Each structure stands twice: as C-alpha cells, then as structure tokens.
Amino acid sequence: MVMIMKHVLLIEPKQGEYDKLNVTIPLALLSVSRKIHKEYNVNILDQRIDRDFKDNLLRQLKNNPLCVGITSVTGNQINYVLDIVKLIKKSYPEMPIVLGGIHASLLPKQTLENKYIDFVVQGEGEVTFYELVKALDGDKNFKDIKG
C-alpha cells in the first residue's frame, strides 16, 4: 500500500534590486517547514532564482496543496507577493493563501484587508504555521491557534 502525503507549498518572493546583491537560502521557509515536513510534503519555490517561476508555480498548484505560504518583508517585496497571490487566486480562487514574515507580523490587520490573503502568521511561525496546516487539513479548530 502506498500512502500519498498531502503537501504544502512555500514561496520566497523576489525583493527587487536587492536580489542582485545577495541571495541567500530561504531560512525562514526552511524553519517553518521543519515541523510540518514529518507529516506533509513541503515544496519550496524561490522566485529569486527560479527562471521558470510562473510555470513551476502553476505546476505545483495542479497538485492541490493544502495551502500556499509566502514570506515577506515590508517594502518592495510586497509588490512581488501581490503579483503571486493574484496569479494563484486567478486560477485557484479557493486556494488558502498564508502570509508570514515581518510584514504580516507588523501589519496583520492591514495584510488581511487584501482580498487575496486568507491567513496571517504573526511572529515566529514554526508552531503557528504547523497548527494552521493541521486546521486546514481538518484536524484542528482555527480559534485555538495562537499567532
């Protein structure tokens, strides 16, 4: 018997001119995936280095992930995030979009005012994102999730 694991898609968006100076591994996404990878397949797309990002994103979405998690700092990166979430919602309007990172932590209410963002993870996201994924998978109540 082959067990098929559900999966989660995580995205590191471009930052603009800064990408030309310094691209590091997506530590925030790796940190968030540390707890969930034991129960779910985790795929990470890094728009900063992926030359076929749009095609790869659409290919990943065809696999019907439980959600798409995106990290973002405040600033120019938000423009790339908005392009990504609009693309996702155009083809998959029911796909849950989760925004984490500094921007969502500092401005959670403003972030949720965007019609393309369904959830915000505030602060360190390892436990909160795991609990949110479990809730989306039907195993937990959203009201019990802190952060």
Side-chain angles (χ1 to χ4, degrees), residues 77-93:
Q77 193 174 44
I78 294 297
N79 295 318
Y80 293 102
V81 170
L82 293 175
D83 289 342
I84 293 167
V85 297
K86 287 176 188 174
L87 175 63
I88 293 169
K89 290 292 190 173
K90 179 180 177 185
S91 299
Y92 298 88

Side-chain angles (χ1 to χ4, degrees), residues 31 37 49 53 64 76-77 89 102 137 142 147:
S31 180
H37 87 278
I49 60 171
F53 175 78
N64 197 28
N76 192 45
Q77 193 174 44
K89 290 292 190 173
I102 295 169
D137 198 16
F142 292 113

Side-chain angles (χ1 to χ4, degrees), residues 4-5 12 32 48-49 52 58-59 70 72 78 83 85 92 99-100 108 113 121 124 134 142 147:
I4 298 174
M5 292 178 68
E12 178 76 36
V32 165
R48 302 169 303 163
I49 60 171
D52 296 319
L58 293 173
R59 190 174 307 113
I70 306 172
S72 183
I78 294 297
D83 289 342
V85 297
Y92 298 88
L99 192 64
E113 288 174 1
V121 172
E124 299 298 322
K134 294 296 284 182
F142 292 113

